[in-house]
Amino acid sequence: MGSLRGISVAVFVVHALLASVASVSAQGSTTARPRWQTLSGDAPFVVARGGFSGILADSSFGAYRLALLTAPDAILWCDVQLTKDGAGICFPDLKLDNNSNIAVVFTDKPKTYLVNGVSTKGLFSIDYTLKALGNNNVFLNQGVYSRTNKFDGQNYPIMTVQDTYTQLSPPGFWLNIQYDAFYAQHNLSMRSFLLSVTRNAAVTIDYISSPEVAFLKNIAPIFRRSATKIVFRFLEPEDVEPSANQTYGALLKNLTFIKTFASGIIVPKSYIWPVDGSLYLQSSTSIVLDAHKEGLEVFASGFYNDIPFSYNYSYDPVAEYLQFVDNGKFSVDGVISDFPITPSAAIDCYAHLGKNATKQVNLLVISNNGASGDYPGSTDMAYAKAIQDGVDVLDCPVQMTKDGTPICLGTVNLIDSTSVTQSPFSDLTTTIPEIMQGSGIFTFNLSWSDIKTLRPVISSPQSQYKLFRNPKFKNAGNFLTLSEFLSMAKNATSLHGVLISIENALFLTEQGFGVTDAVLNALSKAGYDKQTAQKVMIQSSNSSVLMKFKGKTNYQLVYKVDKDIGGAQSSTIDDIKRFASAVVISKDSVFPEDSAFLAGTTDVVSRLQAANLSVFVQTFSNEFTAQAWDFFSDATVEINTFYSGAGINGVITDFPKTSDRYRKNRCLRRGDKTPNYMIPVEPGSLLQLITPEYLPPAEAPKPYLTEADVVESPLPPVAAKSPTSTPSGTTSAPRSPNGQPKVAASVNIPLMTVLLAIYLLF
């Protein structure tokens, strides 16, 4: 169905989407790998629920087409609803309110019906004919309010089941029929509709699913001799199946009965890998193995990249899919997802890689305060997890304590990463405009023995979206001095090197803290000035700091650009080359964003690399709210676009495991056979799909990096440090109730002990 205007809009959308996905063949991998633990032994397949409904309107032509462009082998899922005249449409619910503009088009008052015994109010498909929906321009829109509505102006028409199949020619077609009993109460027959569809030689139905036993038993004889598979869909365990009047939890115990009318089952993913009330994984159930013993295929549902899932996955949706298809015990036969690009890549590119898989590309992985996405940053736990997760370069942002000890901490402000505001030092708040806006409690206000008494606090940069990191371990680990960090790193033979970051050096020098000398001394004592097994990288946003190191050592000097830039003057790049061999820039300096959409590409990377400067980009995080919409709420798509699309040399990341796994995936280096789900996105392509009335306000272009931003006067000599006394009301170290000073926990934990502890947690 649908007006010519609607179809022409859809065709335009397809052409625009083609810009974001290269026109290449998406053949599956032919690389030999272990036999899949599915029922058939073949690879699990991907079912695109409503198409690519995580981005575009569910069941729209655009969503279905985008699914096939990014995951060409995906089976298209259609939730079938019936109109007043018995036409079958693809629509996610029997109420039309939430996923369409019907409430604006019609002034009808919502009606109330009993749906499986529950009083339900809304605008129902059974009250409108197919013609009325089409002639009155009822269009689909995004029904999940946390997802962008910027594409709703494309005016996607509601499509019939037949039109969906004939216009898209999917490799597989899945009809989900949720409310047969409800439609029967209103003299509409899903059975008759299916018979009419199957008589149409132009439509092939591969799967039919339903949560209603009576309906599936009724239609099973029709399809007994066809290739169409019947699948029973389990809803939540406590929900009651209307025809058998049993809970789905009870029906799960009788798979032999299910086998009498179905060849497979759909279960919510929590049936297979339950999570506790704190969103941590529990042991897997036996449901997949039990179903396979009965000869039933198992399809897992409820996969969304943009809804929080178990903390065990570190906000990485690829990791979640691998848990269901590559856990060493079983594999589901298929997954049903709103984001089909992610499971397609997980199954073809990342499953069965093995722990010692070879790196396919030369992408440097640098930690950001260790694995700070999993543990409090710059602690022994975060560093050990980063090493375990395959990081190349371990980082230490150096801060100075009151007694002149260089320590590793992500920020000079203790409020950001410690429990200092709940400590006896909470009244040390001061304001230092040279360092930051607002007030803080700074590392140089406390001695190292004081800081060791503070609890680490994990950083959750996306907490405004209620996305918190690993809450069970939000205070885990111990802080390290620079010397302890270097000792830990040197014992980790897998590391390529360390990165020492120095900021606020001028202020510290004026206050009597020789931070550059402290770093040089610590590196020398650790033997880094003589050994070559691990390289040393010195990073700073101040050229004066890097000039202090130039010529004295063979350390690699890295200049950090501390603002988003749209380009760099040639003379500025020449200046950078005088004191650095690598540059750190922001993600926005590569792909500038406009209201969370990629607006285009700068030439910053290519120009810096043309001057023989390596380019590292920061900061990569797994949380979907940290990424532009163009990356489909998938951190791996983002990494691939920055590497394959922009050609960067390295990533700086809170989650080293995700980046390390990316560079080992088997879909790289396939040349013109690279699958579509491993093609970098085209910046600006999604922005082109936004109609004018939905366009965000244009953002000002990013400034160019100039010589004035880079060239600095040399650091002055370290000022004489004036004696300081402990402020009144505090003590040099917190005291326990018995009046004795507290003894800080030792951080000299053997590396293997920490690694073992982390292994047991994940």
Side-chain angles (χ1 to χ4, degrees):
M1 103 173 230
S3 63
L4 290 175
R5 175 174 175 263
I7 297 300
S8 64
V9 168
V11 171
F12 168 78
V13 171
V14 172
H15 285 302
L17 287 171
L18 281 169
S20 68
V21 184
S23 178
V24 297
S25 172
Q27 300 298 317
S29 173
T30 57
T31 305
R33 67 181 78 175
R35 177 180 170 86
W36 289 96
Q37 293 176 298
T38 56
L39 182 64
S40 66
D42 297 328
F45 55 81
V46 175
V47 182
R49 195 196 66 80
F52 210 130
S53 53
I55 297 293
L56 301 175
D58 193 311
S59 307
S60 67
F61 183 91
Y64 283 129
R65 189 62 182 142
L66 181 57
L68 294 179
L69 287 170
T70 56
D73 295 327
I75 293 174
L76 297 188
W77 169 288
C78 165
D79 285 297
V80 182
Q81 315 301 336
L82 295 179
T83 62
K84 187 176 183 178
D85 49 345
I89 59 174
C90 292
F91 198 87
D93 190 50
L94 52 77
K95 293 196 307 174
L96 304 179
D97 318 44
N98 194 43
N99 287 85
S100 79
N101 66 341
I102 192 168
V104 176
V105 174
F106 292 100
T107 58
D108 304 351
K109 290 183 178 179
K111 292 187 177 181
T112 300
Y113 292 113
L114 280 178
V115 181
N116 293 339
V118 178
S119 181
T120 306
K121 186 177 181 180
L123 300 174
F124 290 78
S125 63
I126 60 171
D127 293 318
Y128 301 91
T129 65
L130 182 66
K131 185 176 181 180
L133 294 175
N135 289 350
N136 288 279
N137 292 328
V138 175
F139 297 122
L140 296 162
N141 58 31
Q142 179 57 261
V144 179
Y145 299 140
S146 60
R147 295 172 179 171
T148 181
N149 68 345
K150 298 299 184 185
F151 307 115
D152 288 351
Q154 288 294 339
N155 293 339
Y156 299 112
I158 295 174
M159 300 176 68
T160 66
V161 171
Q162 291 92 329
D163 284 348
T164 300
Y165 185 88
T166 55
Q167 291 177 21
L168 291 152
S169 301
F173 199 35
W174 189 309
L175 301 185
N176 181 59
I177 296 167
Q178 192 92 351
Y179 301 105
D180 172 69
F182 171 79
Y183 289 115
Q185 292 169 8
H186 297 274
N187 299 317
L188 293 168
S189 172
M190 275 290 184
R191 186 178 191 275
S192 297
F193 167 73
L194 286 175
L195 285 170
S196 69
V197 172
T198 54
R199 291 191 184 109
N200 184 347
V203 178
T204 300
I205 304 171
D206 298 280
Y207 290 87
I208 298 174
S209 61
S210 175
E212 298 180 6
V213 170
F215 172 67
L216 292 183
K217 290 180 72 174
N218 186 12
I219 67 167
I222 301 174
F223 298 98
R224 188 162 290 147
R225 295 183 180 179
S226 73
T228 303
K229 293 185 177 182
I230 304 299
V231 181
F232 180 62
R233 183 178 186 181
F234 284 85
L235 302 182
E236 294 304 317
E238 65 277 6
D239 291 344
V240 176
E241 194 283 325
S243 58
N245 199 28
Q246 296 183 54
T247 65
Y248 288 96
L251 286 170
L252 187 64
K253 299 175 183 177
N254 196 356
L255 293 176
T256 302
F257 167 65
I258 304 298
K259 178 63 177 174
T260 62
F261 60 86
S263 63
I265 60 174
I266 298 174
V267 294
K269 63 187 182 183
S270 59
Y271 273 51
I272 301 170
W273 285 100
V275 295
D276 61 22
S278 300
L279 292 184
Y280 285 90
L281 277 183
Q282 298 177 303
S283 299
S284 62
T285 67
S286 62
I287 184 172
V288 176
L289 295 174
D290 293 343
H292 283 175
K293 286 179 183 177
E294 294 290 342
L296 290 165
E297 291 182 301
V298 181
F299 306 97
S301 65
F303 288 95
Y304 319 98
N305 290 7
D306 58 350
I307 293 177
F309 34 93
S310 172
Y311 290 113
N312 296 75
Y313 303 127
S314 300
Y315 290 103
D316 181 354
V318 172
E320 182 183 32
Y321 286 110
L322 292 176
Q323 187 83 347
F324 284 81
V325 303
D326 185 23
N327 57 61
K329 297 178 181 178
F330 60 81
S331 171
V332 297
D333 300 279
V335 294
I336 301 166
S337 173
D338 289 16
F339 295 82
I341 189 173
T342 303
S344 297
I347 292 166
D348 186 23
C349 307
Y350 298 105
H352 304 145
L353 276 183
K355 197 169 184 179
N356 299 317
T358 304
K359 296 173 187 175
Q360 301 298 309
V361 293
N362 185 24
L363 176 69
L364 198 68
V365 177
I366 305 169
S367 67
N368 181 50
N369 303 314
S372 55
D374 292 309
Y375 292 100
S378 303
T379 61
D380 56 347
M381 296 287 278
Y383 287 133
K385 183 68 163 59
I387 294 168
Q388 176 186 306
D389 288 347
V391 75
D392 294 318
V393 178
L394 203 63
D395 76 304
C396 168
V398 172
Q399 313 299 340
M400 297 298 291
T401 67
K402 181 179 178 181
D403 52 349
T405 303
I407 65 172
C408 298
L409 202 63
T411 170
V412 68
N413 185 5
L414 291 166
I415 294 175
D416 294 336
S417 55
T418 76
S419 61
V420 70
T421 56
Q422 287 85 47
S423 77
F425 308 112
S426 60
D427 60 350
L428 293 181
T429 303
T430 58
T431 301
I432 306 177
E434 298 95 324
I435 291 181
M436 58 174 280
Q437 294 181 343
S439 58
I441 301 175
F442 301 98
T443 58
F444 45 78
N445 295 142
L446 278 72
S447 68
W448 172 229
S449 60
D450 292 335
I451 292 174
K452 284 194 292 184
T453 65
L454 304 177
R455 288 182 294 115
V457 175
I458 199 167
S459 170
S460 291
Q462 303 301 313
S463 59
Q464 70 267 36
Y465 302 106
K466 307 301 181 185
L467 300 180
F468 300 97
R469 292 176 172 177
N470 207 6
K472 277 190 179 180
F473 304 96
K474 63 182 180 181
N475 302 120
N478 299 289
F479 295 122
L480 304 176
T481 65
L482 175 57
S483 295
E484 290 167 337
F485 165 84
L486 293 173
S487 177
M488 182 182 193
K490 203 167 187 180
N491 289 329
T493 56
S494 62
L495 285 180
H496 294 187
V498 294
L499 182 146
I500 311 300
S501 177
I502 302 172
E503 298 296 336
N504 306 308
L506 177 59
F507 176 85
L508 291 171
T509 297
E510 292 171 344
Q511 303 304 310
F513 296 101
V515 59
T516 56
D517 290 338
V519 168
L520 283 167
N521 290 337
L523 287 166
S524 179
K525 287 180 181 178
Y528 276 90
D529 57 343
K530 299 181 179 64
Q531 64 92 38
T532 57
Q534 292 180 351
K535 67 179 178 182
V536 175
M537 303 166 72
I538 305 295
Q539 174 186 299
S540 181
S541 60
N542 298 112
S543 59
S544 57
V545 171
L546 300 180
M547 290 298 287
K548 286 278 287 186
F549 286 86
K550 186 173 177 61
K552 294 183 179 179
T553 66
N554 60 352
Y555 303 151
Q556 182 180 8
L557 304 183
V558 182
Y559 180 63
K560 177 183 175 182
V561 179
D562 58 2
K563 64 179 181 180
D564 297 336
I565 59 173
Q569 297 174 349
S570 297
S571 57
T572 306
I573 295 175
D574 291 337
D575 283 327
I576 293 173
K577 285 181 64 178
R578 290 192 301 108
F579 56 80
S581 61
V583 180
V584 172
I585 58 176
S586 67
K587 292 192 292 187
D588 262 24
S589 299
V590 182
F591 299 125
E593 289 187 19
D594 191 346
S595 299
F597 289 93
L598 298 187
T601 309
T602 71
D603 64 355
V604 173
V605 174
S606 59
R607 295 197 64 216
L608 290 172
Q609 290 176 336
N612 293 320
L613 291 165
S614 298
V615 180
F616 309 135
V617 175
Q618 67 174 23
T619 303
F620 287 83
S621 300
N622 284 356
E623 292 97 336
F624 59 90
T625 50
Q627 302 147 20
W629 291 109
D630 306 65
F631 300 127
F632 309 131
S633 301
D634 185 341
T636 301
V637 174
E638 181 181 43
I639 295 166
N640 182 53
T641 300
F642 274 86
Y643 175 75
S644 297
I648 67 173
N649 301 102
V651 296
I652 299 173
T653 175
D654 299 341
F655 297 90
K657 186 174 185 177
T658 303
S659 295
D660 179 58
R661 185 192 60 218
Y662 161 73
R663 58 189 179 174
K664 296 176 180 177
N665 88 75
R666 63 171 59 85
C667 292
L668 298 172
R669 293 189 174 181
R670 288 193 191 170
D672 59 3
K673 294 188 180 297
T674 300
N676 287 12
Y677 34 82
M678 201 50 63
I679 298 293
V681 304
E682 182 66 29
S685 59
L686 283 186
L687 200 61
Q688 294 175 27
L689 299 185
I690 302 176
T691 50
E693 60 268 31
Y694 285 86
L695 276 172
E699 296 187 3
K702 302 291 188 297
Y704 263 54
L705 191 67
T706 66
E707 292 180 72
D709 297 317
V710 172
V711 178
E712 296 177 340
S713 301
L715 285 175
V718 178
K721 191 174 179 184
S722 19
T724 57
S725 58
T726 304
S728 60
T730 67
T731 58
S732 59
R735 293 185 177 270
S736 59
N738 64 10
Q740 296 299 315
K742 290 184 179 179
V743 178
S746 171
V747 296
N748 293 320
I749 303 172
L751 175 59
M752 287 307 297
T753 303
V754 179
L755 285 171
L756 178 60
I758 291 173
Y759 175 78
L760 294 174
L761 291 173
F762 283 81

